Amino acid sequence: MICKLPFLYFSIFLMSICSIYGQNISLYHQFNGHYDFTFVGNTMNLGENNETPGCVDLLLTSSTANLNLASTQTIQSAYLYWAGSGLGDFNVKLNGVEINAQRTFLNTNSLNDLNYFSAFTDITSQVISTGNGNYTLSDLDISQTLINESGYCNFRTNFTGWAIVIVYKDPSLPLNQINIYDGLESIPDAVTINLTSLNVVDNTDAKIGFIAWEGDADLAIDETLQINGNILSNPPLNPANNAFNGTNSITGSNTLYNMDLDVYNIQNNINIGDQSAQIQLTSGRDVVLINVVVTKLNSQIPDATIVLNNNSQTCDSKTLVLNYTVSNLNCTSSLPAGTPIAIYANGQLVGQTQTAAIIPVDGSENGQLTVTLPNTIPINFTLVLAVDDNGIGTGIITEIAENNNTFSQAFSQWETPKFNVLEPLFSCNKGLTIGTFNFSSYEDLVKINQTDTVTFYELLSDAENHTNPILNTINYTATSTPKEIFTRIQNEHCYAITSFLLNTRNCPPIVYNYVSANEDGMNDTFYIDGLRDIFLNYEIEIYNRWGKLIWTGNNNIPDWDGHASIGFVLENGIVPSGTYYYILNLNDSEYKEPLNGWLYFTK
């Protein structure tokens, strides 16, 4: 490229080998609707740096510009850009409010190792709050950079400035498409920028705007701005051979030193149906940095999008009920009725429908579709909803964006959890078939998938309704047996119910063979643990040591307390202290032989 050199050192040789590297201009954001754009900004140079004596003292650290929108124009978005020489000052103030850069750009002159920067922050909320009036950018200071690096002053590339891109809505405007492109490219002999994502249906009042830095009015050597091969001009402010000359098309100023806020009419330079445009910039000597390009084109095109709101499915079923919304947002025309919708599962078409009515700009339509998944679809799959899709991946509607028609979501078919069969549990009969059980281990034993949850219930209805679970599974008392316990195995969506039985058995009784009938509450009777109300047909006989039967009992008679009920009985009925013999017939099929032994009785 050819670089701008200091006054005393213009050299054809140096101009031919100077090269600059930056960040390519690319699409940042797009607006579709009743929109237009404008610029607000100001330089911080006191004069054109190529003609005005001085360097560091040529730059201010603040400057002011005025915003004056009409009452019908409502601010939609506002983007602040600031730029200058060096590696950057990324903390500034706007009307006293601290601003930190959200995005930054850097352009480097590889021959002289000189850097140029630009910064970006979305200030929409601040500008909406402030509205019309003065905007002052301050605390933009690169003086130390200029002092430390003399190359900027020697090559007269000492500059700072700022600008706000404002996109506004006005109901009186036609439906337009606003594209904002940014980056930081510099012009060598020629630089070409391809603007994509255009949709031109009418080129009336089409325009293009630029934020450029470091242009000089007195350097106009081969300096042109072209679109689609046609040189743009806006005389007398922007002659065809001096595009970057420190001017502001919004205010008509020609003293916007070392920056340009220029807007050109391009309605005769772009054609209906164009989806891209080529911008070419040339400069034979002046170093020019292109930061922002904004286009406004008349566009009447819909933009269909689709989202899945929710779905319903049942366990062990391949049927899905899908509730979705088709929207027509960020667009400039209605979406026709009958726009096709396709549903894919793992890339396989499983359902089709279409929009029912015309969807206006910024409108939407809710719909519902029931699809049945083929058996070839696995348990886990990806569901894709696609609008403007005829079932073979092809659309029938021309849209602003063709890459936002699908909604994708990972899906799992709902399955009832599998489980292991639980064996019955047994415990000793505590009387009248009452038993105490510990089935806490069954929680892990029943489930095959260890992420499932398990709960236990006394009633099937409780298990089905997930109510009144058994909380104590370690020491659970069944008041009668056999007792069926219902088990609910639950995964994220489905549940299964199984059950197991609690049973009691008559365990061997334990004989306490010492009786002390002194009414102290301890051993006052002949107590046999595990006998009464368990072996309901038991019979017991007690003999004295000479083999004489003195007492018989059963489940309906209280325990023996030392009183004789058969044979010779003393005056008070109590037998004398001594050793006695018992025979216990349990009359139970599990215990065919009688239990017998000695007991000792004392008064």
Short mmCIF file of all heavy atoms in Angstrom, two decimals, residues 464-490:
data_model
loop_
_atom_site.label_atom_id
_atom_site.label_comp_id
_atom_site.label_asym_id
_atom_site.label_seq_id
_atom_site.Cartn_x
_atom_site.Cartn_y
_atom_site.Cartn_z
N GLU A 464 -50.12 -45.89 43.64
CA GLU A 464 -50.47 -45.28 42.35
C GLU A 464 -50.50 -43.76 42.43
O GLU A 464 -50.09 -43.07 41.48
CB GLU A 464 -51.82 -45.81 41.88
CG GLU A 464 -51.79 -47.29 41.51
CD GLU A 464 -53.17 -47.84 41.24
OE1 GLU A 464 -54.16 -47.27 41.76
OE2 GLU A 464 -53.26 -48.85 40.54
N ASN A 465 -50.95 -43.23 43.57
CA ASN A 465 -51.08 -41.78 43.72
C ASN A 465 -49.85 -41.14 44.37
O ASN A 465 -49.81 -39.92 44.53
CB ASN A 465 -52.31 -41.45 44.56
CG ASN A 465 -53.59 -41.89 43.90
OD1 ASN A 465 -53.73 -41.78 42.68
ND2 ASN A 465 -54.53 -42.40 44.68
N HIS A 466 -48.90 -41.95 44.71
CA HIS A 466 -47.65 -41.46 45.31
C HIS A 466 -47.93 -40.70 46.61
O HIS A 466 -47.41 -39.62 46.87
CB HIS A 466 -46.93 -40.56 44.32
CG HIS A 466 -45.43 -40.59 44.46
ND1 HIS A 466 -44.77 -41.35 45.38
CD2 HIS A 466 -44.46 -39.92 43.77
CE1 HIS A 466 -43.47 -41.17 45.26
NE2 HIS A 466 -43.24 -40.31 44.30
N THR A 467 -48.80 -41.31 47.48
CA THR A 467 -49.17 -40.67 48.73
C THR A 467 -48.97 -41.66 49.88
O THR A 467 -49.03 -42.88 49.71
CB THR A 467 -50.64 -40.22 48.71
OG1 THR A 467 -51.49 -41.34 48.41
CG2 THR A 467 -50.85 -39.14 47.66
N ASN A 468 -48.75 -41.10 51.07
CA ASN A 468 -48.63 -41.87 52.31
C ASN A 468 -47.59 -42.99 52.21
O ASN A 468 -47.89 -44.16 52.48
CB ASN A 468 -49.99 -42.48 52.70
CG ASN A 468 -51.07 -41.43 52.85
OD1 ASN A 468 -50.83 -40.38 53.45
ND2 ASN A 468 -52.24 -41.70 52.30
N PRO A 469 -46.37 -42.68 51.87
CA PRO A 469 -45.35 -43.74 51.81
C PRO A 469 -44.99 -44.23 53.21
O PRO A 469 -45.18 -43.53 54.21
CB PRO A 469 -44.15 -43.03 51.16
CG PRO A 469 -44.32 -41.59 51.54
CD PRO A 469 -45.80 -41.35 51.55
N ILE A 470 -44.49 -45.45 53.26
CA ILE A 470 -43.98 -46.00 54.52
C ILE A 470 -42.62 -45.37 54.77
O ILE A 470 -41.70 -45.48 53.96
CB ILE A 470 -43.86 -47.53 54.44
CG1 ILE A 470 -45.24 -48.16 54.24
CG2 ILE A 470 -43.19 -48.09 55.68
CD1 ILE A 470 -45.20 -49.65 53.96
N LEU A 471 -42.48 -44.70 55.90
CA LEU A 471 -41.24 -43.99 56.19
C LEU A 471 -40.25 -44.85 56.97
O LEU A 471 -39.04 -44.69 56.82
CB LEU A 471 -41.56 -42.71 56.98
CG LEU A 471 -42.50 -41.70 56.26
CD1 LEU A 471 -42.75 -40.49 57.15
CD2 LEU A 471 -41.91 -41.28 54.93
N ASN A 472 -40.77 -45.75 57.83
CA ASN A 472 -39.88 -46.59 58.64
C ASN A 472 -39.81 -47.99 58.04
O ASN A 472 -40.68 -48.82 58.27
CB ASN A 472 -40.40 -46.65 60.08
CG ASN A 472 -39.48 -47.45 60.99
OD1 ASN A 472 -38.40 -47.88 60.57
ND2 ASN A 472 -39.89 -47.61 62.24
N THR A 473 -38.80 -48.23 57.24
CA THR A 473 -38.64 -49.54 56.62
C THR A 473 -37.68 -50.43 57.40
O THR A 473 -37.52 -51.60 57.06
CB THR A 473 -38.13 -49.38 55.17
OG1 THR A 473 -36.86 -48.71 55.19
CG2 THR A 473 -39.11 -48.59 54.33
N ILE A 474 -37.04 -49.87 58.41
CA ILE A 474 -36.09 -50.65 59.22
C ILE A 474 -36.81 -51.40 60.32
O ILE A 474 -36.47 -52.54 60.67
CB ILE A 474 -35.01 -49.73 59.81
CG1 ILE A 474 -34.18 -49.11 58.68
CG2 ILE A 474 -34.10 -50.47 60.77
CD1 ILE A 474 -33.15 -48.10 59.16
N ASN A 475 -37.85 -50.81 60.88
CA ASN A 475 -38.55 -51.40 62.03
C ASN A 475 -40.05 -51.27 61.80
O ASN A 475 -40.76 -50.65 62.59
CB ASN A 475 -38.11 -50.70 63.31
CG ASN A 475 -38.57 -51.43 64.56
OD1 ASN A 475 -38.69 -52.65 64.57
ND2 ASN A 475 -38.84 -50.67 65.61
N TYR A 476 -40.52 -51.87 60.72
CA TYR A 476 -41.93 -51.76 60.34
C TYR A 476 -42.73 -52.86 61.02
O TYR A 476 -42.37 -54.03 60.97
CB TYR A 476 -42.08 -51.87 58.82
CG TYR A 476 -43.53 -51.91 58.37
CD1 TYR A 476 -44.27 -50.75 58.27
CD2 TYR A 476 -44.13 -53.13 58.06
CE1 TYR A 476 -45.60 -50.78 57.86
CE2 TYR A 476 -45.46 -53.17 57.63
CZ TYR A 476 -46.18 -52.00 57.55
OH TYR A 476 -47.49 -52.04 57.14
N THR A 477 -43.85 -52.49 61.65
CA THR A 477 -44.71 -53.45 62.33
C THR A 477 -45.97 -53.69 61.51
O THR A 477 -46.72 -52.74 61.20
CB THR A 477 -45.11 -52.94 63.73
OG1 THR A 477 -43.94 -52.80 64.53
CG2 THR A 477 -46.07 -53.92 64.40
N ALA A 478 -46.16 -54.92 61.14
CA ALA A 478 -47.39 -55.34 60.46
C ALA A 478 -48.36 -55.86 61.51
O ALA A 478 -48.04 -56.80 62.24
CB ALA A 478 -47.09 -56.41 59.42
N THR A 479 -49.53 -55.26 61.58
CA THR A 479 -50.49 -55.64 62.63
C THR A 479 -51.21 -56.93 62.31
O THR A 479 -51.88 -57.49 63.18
CB THR A 479 -51.51 -54.51 62.82
OG1 THR A 479 -52.16 -54.25 61.57
CG2 THR A 479 -50.83 -53.24 63.31
N SER A 480 -51.10 -57.39 61.10
CA SER A 480 -51.61 -58.71 60.74
C SER A 480 -50.85 -59.18 59.51
O SER A 480 -50.43 -58.38 58.68
CB SER A 480 -53.13 -58.68 60.47
OG SER A 480 -53.41 -57.89 59.32
N THR A 481 -50.66 -60.46 59.43
CA THR A 481 -49.95 -61.05 58.29
C THR A 481 -50.74 -62.26 57.81
O THR A 481 -51.51 -62.85 58.57
CB THR A 481 -48.52 -61.46 58.70
OG1 THR A 481 -48.59 -62.34 59.82
CG2 THR A 481 -47.66 -60.26 59.02
N PRO A 482 -50.58 -62.65 56.53
CA PRO A 482 -49.64 -62.04 55.57
C PRO A 482 -50.09 -60.63 55.17
O PRO A 482 -51.27 -60.35 55.07
CB PRO A 482 -49.66 -63.00 54.40
CG PRO A 482 -50.96 -63.72 54.50
CD PRO A 482 -51.28 -63.82 55.96
N LYS A 483 -49.07 -59.73 54.95
CA LYS A 483 -49.30 -58.35 54.61
C LYS A 483 -48.60 -58.05 53.29
O LYS A 483 -47.40 -58.30 53.14
CB LYS A 483 -48.75 -57.44 55.71
CG LYS A 483 -48.75 -55.96 55.39
CD LYS A 483 -50.15 -55.38 55.40
CE LYS A 483 -50.11 -53.87 55.23
NZ LYS A 483 -51.47 -53.29 55.22
N GLU A 484 -49.35 -57.51 52.31
CA GLU A 484 -48.75 -57.16 51.02
C GLU A 484 -48.25 -55.71 51.07
O GLU A 484 -48.99 -54.80 51.42
CB GLU A 484 -49.77 -57.31 49.89
CG GLU A 484 -49.16 -57.13 48.51
CD GLU A 484 -50.14 -57.42 47.38
OE1 GLU A 484 -51.36 -57.53 47.67
OE2 GLU A 484 -49.71 -57.54 46.21
N ILE A 485 -46.98 -55.53 50.73
CA ILE A 485 -46.37 -54.21 50.66
C ILE A 485 -46.17 -53.86 49.19
O ILE A 485 -45.54 -54.61 48.44
CB ILE A 485 -45.02 -54.16 51.42
CG1 ILE A 485 -45.23 -54.49 52.89
CG2 ILE A 485 -44.34 -52.80 51.24
CD1 ILE A 485 -46.09 -53.48 53.63
N PHE A 486 -46.68 -52.68 48.79
CA PHE A 486 -46.59 -52.26 47.39
C PHE A 486 -45.37 -51.37 47.20
O PHE A 486 -45.11 -50.46 48.02
CB PHE A 486 -47.87 -51.52 46.99
CG PHE A 486 -49.09 -52.40 47.08
CD1 PHE A 486 -49.87 -52.41 48.23
CD2 PHE A 486 -49.43 -53.23 46.02
CE1 PHE A 486 -50.98 -53.23 48.32
CE2 PHE A 486 -50.54 -54.06 46.10
CZ PHE A 486 -51.32 -54.06 47.26
N THR A 487 -44.64 -51.62 46.15
CA THR A 487 -43.37 -50.94 45.89
C THR A 487 -43.47 -50.17 44.59
O THR A 487 -43.79 -50.73 43.55
CB THR A 487 -42.22 -51.96 45.81
OG1 THR A 487 -42.24 -52.77 46.98
CG2 THR A 487 -40.88 -51.26 45.68
N ARG A 488 -43.18 -48.87 44.65
CA ARG A 488 -43.21 -47.99 43.46
C ARG A 488 -41.77 -47.68 43.04
O ARG A 488 -40.99 -47.14 43.83
CB ARG A 488 -43.96 -46.71 43.77
CG ARG A 488 -44.04 -45.73 42.59
CD ARG A 488 -44.74 -44.45 43.01
NE ARG A 488 -44.76 -43.44 41.95
CZ ARG A 488 -45.85 -42.99 41.35
NH1 ARG A 488 -47.04 -43.46 41.72
NH2 ARG A 488 -45.78 -42.06 40.42
N ILE A 489 -41.43 -48.02 41.79
CA ILE A 489 -40.12 -47.73 41.22
C ILE A 489 -40.32 -46.62 40.21
O ILE A 489 -41.07 -46.77 39.24
CB ILE A 489 -39.49 -48.97 40.55
CG1 ILE A 489 -39.45 -50.14 41.54
CG2 ILE A 489 -38.08 -48.65 40.05
CD1 ILE A 489 -40.62 -51.08 41.41
N GLN A 490 -39.66 -45.48 40.43
CA GLN A 490 -39.92 -44.26 39.65
C GLN A 490 -38.66 -43.79 38.95
O GLN A 490 -37.59 -43.68 39.58
CB GLN A 490 -40.42 -43.16 40.61
CG GLN A 490 -40.66 -41.82 39.96
CD GLN A 490 -42.05 -41.70 39.38
OE1 GLN A 490 -43.02 -42.03 40.03
NE2 GLN A 490 -42.14 -41.22 38.15
#
